[in-house]
Amino acid sequence: MAKNKIRVGIVQFFSDPKNPGENLEKAVTYIELLTEKSIDLILLPEMFNTGYGTSEEVLNNAVEMYDETIETLSAVADFNDVAIVGGIARKAGKDLYNSTVVMLPYNDPLFYDKTHLFRKEKEVFKPGKTLFTFSYSGVNFGVLMCYEIGFPEVSRTLVKKGAHILLVPFAFGRERELIYETTTRARAIENGAFLVTASQIGKSSEMEFIGRSRIVSPGGRLLADAGNAEGIIWAELNLSEIDTYRYTEKGDSHGYFANFREDLYE
C-alpha cells in the first residue's frame, strides 16, 4: 500500500422516491460537508438518488436521473479531488441493474452490478456477472451491496483479489437488524479488513430502513456509527492494522490469514 492512512466518510439519509432531484441535491450537500474534513473517499447508500424500491416510479426515476447523477458526481469528485462511491439503479442496453457507481477524480465512472438479488429485485433487475475491486490512492477497495453482506464468499473473494477496505451501500430492512449487526462485524473480522457501510434511514412504502451506517476495524471495533440520524460520519483508517490482524497472533489479533488451510478448500 502506498499510504498508511486514509480518511473515509459516509452519508446517511432517507432517499425519497417522490423527490429524486432533492435526493441528489441532499447527497451533494453532505458530500461537500465531508470534503471539509479532508476525506479521501465518500460512500453513499444503495439507490441514493431515486429511493430504494422496485416500483415503476423508482425505475423511471433511475432512468431519468442517470445522466444528471453521473455528471454531478463527476463534477464534485473532480472539483474536490475526492472519490465518490454510491448505489444507483441504471439501464444498460435493455437491462436494468442495481449498481454501485465508483467515481474517481478525472476518470470515467466504474460500475459494480449487484450479483445477488433479494426479494422483488429479482423481478426487475438483471444480476451482475462479476465481482469488483478498484484501486485509489494506493489502496485497494472491494464493493458489495446490502443483501450480499450475508454471503461470506463475496467478501473473501474481494479480499483475495487484494481488497484492504470493503465498501457496502445499504438499503436494509430494520426487521433484519440482527443480521446487519452480526454480519458487518463478521465480514471485517474474518477478513482482517476495514468495512464501511452507508445505509438509508426512514421508512418507504416498501420497508423501514435500519440506518446505522458504520466503519468497522479489522478487529471488529466500531470506529464510527451514524445511529438513526441523518447526516455524515467519518474516520481515519490506520491501514497497518490490516496485516496485524491478518497475520499476527498477539493480543486481540486473530491471524486467520496466517493459518488458513488453502489445501482444504480446493
Side-chain angles (χ1 to χ4, degrees), residues 42-56:
I42 295 169
L43 184 64
L44 299 161
E46 184 177 19
M47 297 179 72
F48 79 88
N49 59 336
T50 59
Y52 175 81
T54 57
S55 69
E56 185 176 353

Side-chain angles (χ1 to χ4, degrees), residues 47 50 53-66 88-100 111-115 117 120-129 145:
M47 297 179 72
T50 59
T54 57
S55 69
E56 185 176 353
E57 178 184 40
V58 168
L59 301 179
N60 287 339
N61 285 346
V63 174
E64 293 174 5
M65 288 293 298
Y66 177 80
I88 65 169
R90 69 186 185 101
K91 191 172 185 179
K94 296 181 180 180
D95 297 316
L96 282 168
Y97 293 91
N98 187 356
S99 302
T100 293
F111 296 98
Y112 167 63
D113 300 322
K114 192 173 185 179
T115 53
L117 301 176
K120 291 183 179 180
E121 291 178 350
K122 296 190 288 290
E123 299 173 10
V124 297
F125 295 121
K126 188 178 180 68
K129 295 181 178 179
M145 296 180 66

Side-chain angles (χ1 to χ4, degrees), residues 148-162:
E148 296 178 324
I149 196 70
F151 295 87
E153 298 86 353
V154 174
S155 296
R156 178 54 59 90
T157 299
L158 294 172
V159 168
K160 291 180 75 172
K161 288 177 176 289

